[in-house]
Amino acid sequence: IMRGQHGVGVGAAEEEDEDGDLVSTRIGLRTSLLCVLSALHILTGQGEALNLDIKDFFHQMYALLPPLAANPRIEATRMSALSDGTRYTIYLTPADVATRNAQLRAAKTGSAAGLESAQLDEAVWEETVRSEADLLFECLELMFLGRSKVSSLTRVAAFSKRLAAAALYWPPRTAVRAVEFIHRLLLKYPGLDRMLSSEEQAGCGLYLRDLDDPDMCNPFATCLFELHWLQIHHHASVQAATSRLLEFARAEEKKHRM
């Protein structure tokens, strides 16, 4: 499904994408994220007992990061009832939804108000969806922090690099989540601190940033220089999150030198 293959089902002939890309243009980013998330939930916890290689899902998620970086609606969480289903409006919290429903009920008079109150609640909540940013970070959480099986350091470094690059384009709230997630990766995978120093990359070869294979793109040939750009981000919350990460990195470096 993530590759946009047609005729999914028993006995159906699978059709490869014409361009041979991992991410198909036939389906939306949301559908791809939901596919990955479904597979990860199945294979987390007791599902880890299944001896299955989920490398393909890591590759799919890695390939999804660039188009997600270019998505201006990544934080949209409420879809309008238009027939095309592509227009988004601002996010409504549960309190906002309750207030709106109360206002709609107050506008009604007589017995019609009581009959339609439940329908109003359902109508408002039907339009509420999880943002693609929420789906993305839940997938990443399950991939790298929620599984007992530790991922390879090369794969973690590749994802960290693409997340840092994507944070330059994302809205402030999502950019902060990306920086904080990289910070959590540094805590769990100490060897990742090599990505914070340009001096560590000498003689490591060439970083293949356009290759959608996190295991083969050679991420340790580069560094997370995007963090220094994020440190002068126009939004204060992004600056603060990045400063906390870099301060942690400096403190860890001092410990190693002592």
Side-chain angles (χ1 to χ4, degrees):
I1 294 173
M2 289 185 293
R3 291 174 179 171
Q5 294 173 345
H6 288 211
V8 177
V10 178
E14 294 184 348
E15 178 183 343
E16 294 292 338
D17 189 63
E18 287 90 345
D19 300 327
D21 296 331
L22 284 176
V23 179
S24 173
T25 57
R26 298 173 183 162
I27 61 174
L29 293 173
R30 176 178 294 274
T31 302
S32 297
L33 287 170
L34 289 171
C35 286
V36 176
L37 186 58
S38 299
L40 291 173
H41 274 299
I42 293 171
L43 298 173
T44 300
Q46 293 183 351
E48 288 194 50
L50 298 173
N51 189 20
L52 296 176
D53 185 6
I54 62 169
K55 179 178 67 175
D56 287 344
F57 293 104
F58 279 91
H59 290 191
Q60 289 284 345
M61 178 56 64
Y62 188 70
L64 284 172
L65 286 175
L68 283 170
N71 180 14
R73 301 285 187 177
I74 192 170
E75 292 182 354
T77 55
R78 190 163 172 272
M79 194 179 304
S80 73
L82 295 180
S83 58
D84 59 2
T86 57
R87 185 175 177 181
Y88 291 84
T89 54
I90 60 173
Y91 170 70
L92 291 181
T93 65
D96 295 332
V97 173
T99 301
R100 178 178 169 183
N101 282 328
Q103 293 172 345
L104 291 173
R105 284 193 293 270
K108 302 292 182 179
T109 57
S111 60
L115 293 173
E116 295 181 5
S117 62
Q119 296 176 354
L120 290 171
D121 289 336
E122 184 179 355
V124 172
W125 279 110
E126 272 183 348
E127 299 174 2
T128 304
V129 295
R130 296 183 64 193
S131 71
E132 291 174 6
D134 291 336
L135 297 176
L136 166 65
F137 285 102
E138 183 174 352
C139 287
L140 294 174
E141 178 93 17
L142 291 171
M143 282 179 163
F144 297 107
L145 302 176
R147 293 171 56 82
S148 60
K149 297 177 181 177
V150 179
S151 296
S152 71
L153 192 59
T154 299
R155 186 177 293 174
V156 176
F159 272 86
S160 299
K161 179 63 178 179
R162 278 204 172 176
L163 274 175
L168 297 172
Y169 302 93
W170 278 334
R173 184 168 58 178
T174 304
V176 168
R177 295 177 72 175
V179 173
E180 291 178 344
F181 187 80
I182 295 172
H183 193 162
R184 295 173 67 190
L185 289 178
L186 282 167
L187 290 171
K188 183 171 182 178
Y189 302 90
L192 193 61
D193 58 2
R194 291 166 51 192
M195 297 284 291
L196 298 174
S197 172
S198 59
E199 296 178 359
E200 298 282 347
Q201 322 311 325
C204 290
L206 181 65
Y207 169 56
L208 306 175
R209 68 173 187 176
D210 296 323
L211 182 64
D212 289 332
D213 186 341
D215 299 321
M216 301 297 294
C217 66
N218 195 20
F220 285 112
T222 184
C223 61
L224 297 176
F225 57 81
E226 293 88 356
L227 294 177
H228 295 285
W229 293 346
L230 292 168
Q231 206 171 17
I232 56 173
H233 195 275
H234 66 87
H235 202 278
S237 62
V238 181
Q239 295 179 17
T242 308
S243 296
R244 287 194 296 270
L245 189 157
L246 293 175
E247 286 173 6
F248 165 78
R250 295 188 191 101
E252 289 297 307
E253 186 179 3
K254 289 181 180 178
K255 289 180 183 179
H256 293 313
R257 288 180 178 178
M258 292 177 62

